Every structure is written in C-alpha cells, then in structure tokens.
Amino acid sequence: MSEVKVNLTKAEAGTQDDPAGPRPDPVRTTCTDGPDLQGSSSTDVSPSPSAEPSSLLSLPWEILTNIASYLPAQCVINVLPKVCHLLSTVSEDSTAWQLRAQRLIGSKASFPVGPREDFDWPAACLEIEKLITFWTGEAQHKARQTQAKEEERDRVRLRGPVEEEQDAAGEEELQEVGGPAQEVAYGADEGVEVVVEAEDGEMPPDIDGDQLARLRIELEDRLGDGAGELMEDGRMALNANGGQDAGLLDQNNFMNWDNEEQADVINQQVSRRPSPPPALECITLPISHITKINSVLFLDREGGVCATASRDWNVKVWDVQAGSNGTLLYTLGRQGDFSSHRGWVWCLASKGPLLASGGFDSTVRLWDLQAGGADRGLIRTGAAVLCLSYQPDVLLAGTFDKSISMYDTRAAEPLIKSLRLHGNAVLCLAADDKYIISGSHDCTVAVYDRRAGKRLKKTQLRSYLLSMSYSGSEVWAGDNRGLLHSFSMQAGSLKLLSQFDVGHTALVTGIHRSLGSLYSCSSDGTVKVHIPCAPPRTLCTLNYPACVHGMSVEDGVLALASGEGIVDVWRPRK
C-alpha cells in the first residue's frame, strides 16, 4: 500500500497528481490577524482598469482562491475571515475545498467514499492535513530510526569476521605490530581493523599518526557506502515497539546474537545520532491490570480521560494528561465487591458522566464518573455482553444469545425492547437517533428503524464483522479476514460500496472513521492510520508484538489496548 507524504509546512509548486504540471511559487506571506494586503509595486500584478494601486484584493477571484489553496486549511478557516469580509468568502468556495482534498489524497483515489451531498469539505480537509502532518512525520521518524539501527548492525557484522581472524592469528602476530597499530588492533578505533588487513593480509610493521588518520577516514567512507548499499536492498522496516520510547532498540533484533556486548555498543552509537522529534508522542499508562485489556474508551472529547476494561474483571479510569505517563484515578466497583464485574469485562460505552461496562458475567453495570465512579445500577442481560452503544435516550447491548436489547437506564425496569435480528451472536453495534446497525457472527448486517419499530434490511456477507464505525452517511467495518468494508447509509438504506485489503492479516478488532481520518487495528498486532478514501491511503503502520484488542480516538489522540496488558496513548506533542 503506497503512503501519501505531504509536507504541510511548505507550499509546493505542484504535485505528481496535478496534470497541469508545475505552478508558480505561491505567496509566502505569513497569515496573521492584521496582514499588509498591499502589493510592493504596481508591476506585481496586471494593471486594473481604474489604474488604482494594485493589491491582493484586486486580483481575479480565480487567482485569489488558487493562492488560498496553498495556505493551511486552519488558516483559511480561522484567520482569513478575520482579515476582511472578501477573504472570508474564500472559505465558502466548495469547489476549492474539493480540489484541495483531491490534491491531498491523489487523483486516483475517490473521496468521499459515501454520498457527497451535504458533505463538510472544509472540516474534512482540515482533518486530513492534521492527519498527514502527524502520522507521515511519525512514519518518517521511525524510518530514520530503523535506518540508524541497520547501519550500526551492519557495522558490527562487518567487524565480526575480521575479529575472528585476528583471534586465530594469536597474540604473537600482534606483538610484531608497532605501538600506534597496536592501539588500533585493540579497539582504539574498532573499524580500522578491517582496513589494516584489507590490503595484503598482513599487519603493517608501523603506522604513524598521519597514516592512521587517513586510514580512519577511508574506513568511515567505506563503511558508510557499504551500509548505504545494504539499506537499499530492502532492509528498512517500520516498527513501533509496543509503545516503548521511540529511541530504544527492539531487543528481539538481537535474539540471534552471540555477544550481548555488541548490542550495547549499538545502543550507545545510535544514541549519538539524534533526529528531530516527531509531531506525536507516545506514553504508556502505568497499567495495574494483571491480564489482557479488552477495551479502552476515551471519556471526554479532548482525549484526556479514558477507561480500560480487562479480563481481570476490573474497569479502571485514568487521567491521561496527569504526570508524564498518566495517573490512575480509581478502580470501579460496587460496595462490598472485590472487582468491577464477576467475569471478563469485554466492552465499554459512555454518555455524558455515565459509563456502561458489559461483561461475560451477563451484566451491564453503570458508573457515575462525576461522583467518583459511584455505582449507578446493574442490568442483567441473560447472556455475555459483547458490544455496547450509548445513545442520548437509550443504551443498546448486543449479546451472545443473538439479541440486541434496548434499555432506559433511568427507569426502575430498564428493558424497553429486545430485538432478534440475527441467527448468531451480535458482535458489533452502531446507532444514531434513527437507526441501529448491527453485525453478527452469522455473517449478516442488519438495519433497524427505531422510529418505525421494524427491521429495514439484512445483508449477507462472506465474512463476519467484529468492529464498526458509523458517522454521517458512511459506515466502515472490519471483519474476521482482515478486510475493511465501506457502506453508504441514506434514508435507512444500507448499501455495500466496497471492501479493501489494507494489509491486516487477522481479525480487525477496532475501527474508527471520521470526516478526514480512518484508524484500524487487528489481532495480528498492526495498527494502521489511513485517509478514508477509496482505496484507503495508509499513512503509517504501527507493529505491536501482541494482539491489539481495541482502540479509541478523540481529537487526534489515539489509545490502544494490547494483549500484553498495556495501553499506549499516541497524542500530538505539546
């Protein structure tokens, strides 16, 4: 899958996808609240009929909108309207926003995937630009780290055979070498050993300081060229090591090494090669769960507070912004109970201050976060709860016994209605105030009209869906084969548009789609960040050593729950 790489901090004269070829250099004036709109001279633009001094506002509208297309979307939306009324209309040009989106994703991709009517183009472009800035930079940063690892590893490999030959030759041969050369042979400069024996197989009788300096320079050049050739052979790979610090080396890379000291040498040498920090930072919550975490959910729109649900029967609430790696606020539990549930906690959903957790103990439990996580009720479902969706007026629960139950959490008898739309366990849910969309292990997707109180449509698929995201007129879902499915949703009609292979090789355990972003995670340990076009453009892939069970995204902040019992939070660097 090719990756879109756009540098938003520099306006380019043209793109590969632009059939018109190179364009003139864009205006490089910084956008501020009070810019000087007057041109430097009357010869900067074509003379106006009135012969008045030329200015930016005197340009033809087509040129003005073209100039604005090279400004960041945030500037066009938030800054230009403050300059003057005429410039405020630039952000209202729908065609200009569509051209901007096409330039960002490329001419061969279709965007949006679903209906174009009433699509919010400015918001989508703003989100796409932020996504590219953050995640393309993260991919490049990790690629640089991988290149540094490979270069240092190749240096050690080049040294290995020479060191073995010197050991076999014995100490007697080394004693014949002059003083300066002995310092080289014993490691004053490790790499020079290769050069010393490379000419005729014998150690020179004596090497003065100038010769030694020249040998060192020659060796560094040779090693640099050799490492570069090895890198071109396809050794580079992007790897996020389970949320650990991006500067650390993956210890698994050294499993086949006989000498652990060589790994220490590489770590020390890589640390001398700093690279610019990426736009994102990753923190790992100090998790106190004792086993796998099944679900993670942000509880606010800023990605500052999250909840985790685990197979240790507990639900915990975290302040992600406190301290350097977040802080545990509390573990939820009813008075007299030693855990949040009496079985695996499988799913989470929230509405305002209320948090709902569903588990294998066949219950949904309600918690009041404004009251410090106080217990607000228990709902017995009769079967294991596999998915939840909390709407403003109703709580939906999909269970192992093929049912979708609707609850009014304010009532003494909360059950409103129980729906049987499938022939097997209900694995994922998505809803709004009009419709309920559900996916089941029987490889079907069903749509239920809440207002009419009836099932509208049931679609048979070749695989079953495990995760689902519904916003606007688009539904995205991930299945058990690692594929992503896109649907359009209009007037209760769910239409399968396409399915995409984005590189997942196992269950797609989580998916999140918004106007300008698409995230997916899988039990194969991969997390992918895409632009939601057709086909999706993958910007970055994170590789974890264990299954990724779930994710949550809010305001560009990504939380991941892995099979190692940890939660990583990827967020914009402050």
Side-chain angles (χ1 to χ4, degrees):
M1 180 69 66
S2 60
E3 298 188 357
V4 179
K5 296 185 178 179
V6 179
N7 187 350
L8 298 177
T9 62
K10 297 181 181 179
E12 298 181 354
T15 65
Q16 296 178 352
D17 295 322
D18 189 356
R23 301 175 181 172
D25 289 339
V27 175
R28 299 183 180 273
T29 303
T30 302
C31 204
T32 61
D33 289 344
D36 183 5
L37 300 179
Q38 298 297 325
S40 59
S41 67
S42 60
T43 60
D44 292 339
V45 296
S46 301
S48 62
S50 61
E52 295 181 354
S54 61
S55 68
L56 180 63
L57 299 182
S58 67
L59 295 174
W61 179 254
E62 293 80 5
I63 297 179
L64 193 61
T65 55
N66 187 53
I67 293 174
S69 69
Y70 289 98
L71 296 174
Q74 186 173 6
C75 180
V76 176
I77 295 173
N78 299 325
V79 179
L80 292 188
K82 298 179 181 179
V83 177
C84 67
H85 175 72
L86 179 61
L87 291 181
S88 68
T89 59
V90 173
S91 63
E92 301 172 1
D93 190 340
S94 176
T95 301
W97 287 112
Q98 294 181 44
L99 292 175
R100 179 190 290 259
Q102 197 67 50
R103 188 173 70 248
L104 290 171
I105 65 175
S107 59
K108 296 181 179 180
S110 174
F111 181 81
V113 176
R116 301 169 70 93
E117 294 83 3
D118 301 324
F119 187 76
D120 192 343
W121 289 98
C125 289
L126 178 61
E127 194 169 354
I128 291 174
E129 289 185 2
K130 288 183 178 180
L131 196 75
I132 292 174
T133 300
F134 292 149
W135 289 101
T136 304
E138 181 65 26
Q140 294 172 348
H141 176 71
K142 290 192 173 297
R144 287 192 297 267
Q145 288 183 333
T146 303
Q147 182 177 2
K149 297 176 189 177
E150 294 291 344
E151 289 176 355
E152 300 303 336
R153 195 176 308 151
D154 293 335
R155 291 193 183 201
V156 174
R157 289 171 180 169
L158 289 172
R159 289 202 310 269
V162 178
E163 292 175 350
E164 293 177 1
E165 292 177 7
Q166 288 179 342
D167 292 340
E171 185 178 4
E172 181 177 354
E173 182 179 357
L174 290 176
Q175 290 176 349
E176 299 176 359
V177 183
Q182 288 186 25
E183 293 181 2
V184 174
Y186 284 115
D189 192 320
E190 302 105 332
V192 179
E193 297 171 16
V194 178
V195 178
V196 170
E197 295 186 349
E199 300 296 335
D200 55 8
E202 296 182 359
M203 302 292 288
D206 194 9
I207 300 179
D208 59 24
D210 293 338
Q211 289 175 324
L212 182 59
R214 287 195 298 271
L215 288 173
R216 287 176 175 172
I217 294 173
E218 181 181 358
L219 174 66
E220 291 297 328
D221 292 340
R222 291 186 181 182
L223 287 178
D225 294 340
E229 293 174 0
L230 288 174
M231 298 307 298
E232 293 175 359
D233 288 340
R235 291 176 177 266
M236 295 179 60
L238 177 62
N239 181 28
N241 186 20
Q244 299 298 322
D245 190 288
L248 297 179
L249 292 175
D250 186 352
Q251 295 181 358
N252 293 332
N253 292 333
F254 305 109
M255 291 298 292
N256 296 325
W257 286 34
D258 295 328
N259 190 350
E260 294 182 357
E261 294 180 359
Q262 291 178 324
D264 295 334
V265 170
I266 292 183
N267 280 319
Q268 294 173 3
Q269 292 178 342
V270 171
S271 65
R272 301 187 195 129
R273 308 179 58 153
S275 58
L280 294 174
E281 65 178 359
C282 178
I283 66 169
T284 300
L285 298 182
I287 294 298
S288 57
H289 290 294
I290 61 175
T291 186
K292 297 179 181 180
I293 299 172
N294 292 321
S295 181
V296 59
L297 177 69
F298 280 122
L299 303 177
D300 62 343
R301 294 184 177 180
E302 293 77 30
V305 179
C306 74
T308 55
S310 171
R311 298 185 186 186
D312 65 3
W313 302 9
N314 283 316
V315 179
K316 297 178 183 288
V317 179
W318 305 84
D319 185 346
V320 176
Q321 298 177 344
S324 58
N325 290 302
T327 301
L328 176 64
L329 295 179
Y330 34 77
T331 299
L332 303 179
R334 305 180 71 190
Q335 186 174 4
D337 289 347
F338 66 88
S339 61
S340 307
H341 281 253
R342 296 184 179 180
W344 288 3
V345 191
W346 196 254
C347 50
L348 298 168
S350 68
K351 181 197 69 174
L354 293 180
L355 172 67
S357 58
F360 277 26
D361 59 354
S362 303
T363 66
V364 174
R365 303 187 183 230
L366 305 175
W367 317 96
D368 189 343
L369 302 179
Q370 285 186 341
D375 172 43
R376 283 295 179 263
L378 181 148
I379 301 173
R380 301 192 181 278
T381 60
V385 182
L386 304 180
C387 51
L388 292 169
S389 178
Y390 218 149
Q391 300 303 307
D393 60 335
V394 67
L395 172 65
L396 304 173
T399 53
F400 185 76
D401 64 354
K402 316 172 189 178
S403 300
I404 300 173
S405 299
M406 306 171 63
Y407 299 101
D408 182 354
T409 57
R410 301 164 297 179
E413 295 294 333
L415 181 62
I416 300 174
K417 183 182 295 186
S418 183
L419 309 175
R420 286 295 184 105
L421 306 178
H422 300 280
N424 210 321
V426 181
L427 302 179
C428 54
L429 281 173
D432 59 13
D433 59 340
K434 297 179 181 178
Y435 307 106
I436 299 173
I437 307 172
S438 56
S440 169
H441 197 271
D442 64 1
C443 300
T444 62
V445 182
V447 179
Y448 180 82
D449 190 328
R450 293 181 54 190
R451 297 179 178 180
K454 63 179 182 179
R455 188 183 74 187
L456 296 180
K457 188 175 183 179
K458 189 174 182 179
T459 304
Q460 184 72 43
L461 304 176
R462 296 182 179 180
S463 56
Y464 60 86
L465 305 180
L466 291 102
S467 53
M468 186 179 294
S469 179
Y470 173 33
S471 60
S473 300
E474 291 185 26
V475 178
W476 286 75
D479 70 9
N480 61 307
R481 297 187 298 166
L483 302 179
L484 304 186
H485 300 253
S486 63
F487 303 83
S488 66
M489 181 67 179
Q490 285 184 303
S493 176
L494 184 71
K495 180 181 178 182
L496 177 62
L497 299 177
S498 187
Q499 64 181 25
F500 307 102
D501 183 356
V502 296
H504 294 304
T505 58
L507 311 175
V508 179
T509 53
I511 191 168
H512 173 87
R513 179 263 174 188
S514 61
L515 286 173
S517 66
L518 177 65
Y519 301 80
S520 59
C521 63
S522 171
S523 60
D524 64 5
T526 60
V527 180
K528 294 179 178 289
V529 182
H530 325 265
I531 297 176
C533 52
R537 290 294 180 89
T538 303
L539 300 178
C540 185
T541 298
L542 306 175
N543 293 301
Y544 281 81
C547 170
V548 179
H549 290 293
M551 70 162 74
S552 183
V553 182
E554 284 291 346
D555 195 28
V557 183
L558 170 65
L560 301 170
S562 79
E564 293 187 319
I566 64 172
V567 170
D568 282 344
V569 178
W570 294 79
R571 63 189 181 188
R573 188 178 296 275
K574 296 182 180 179

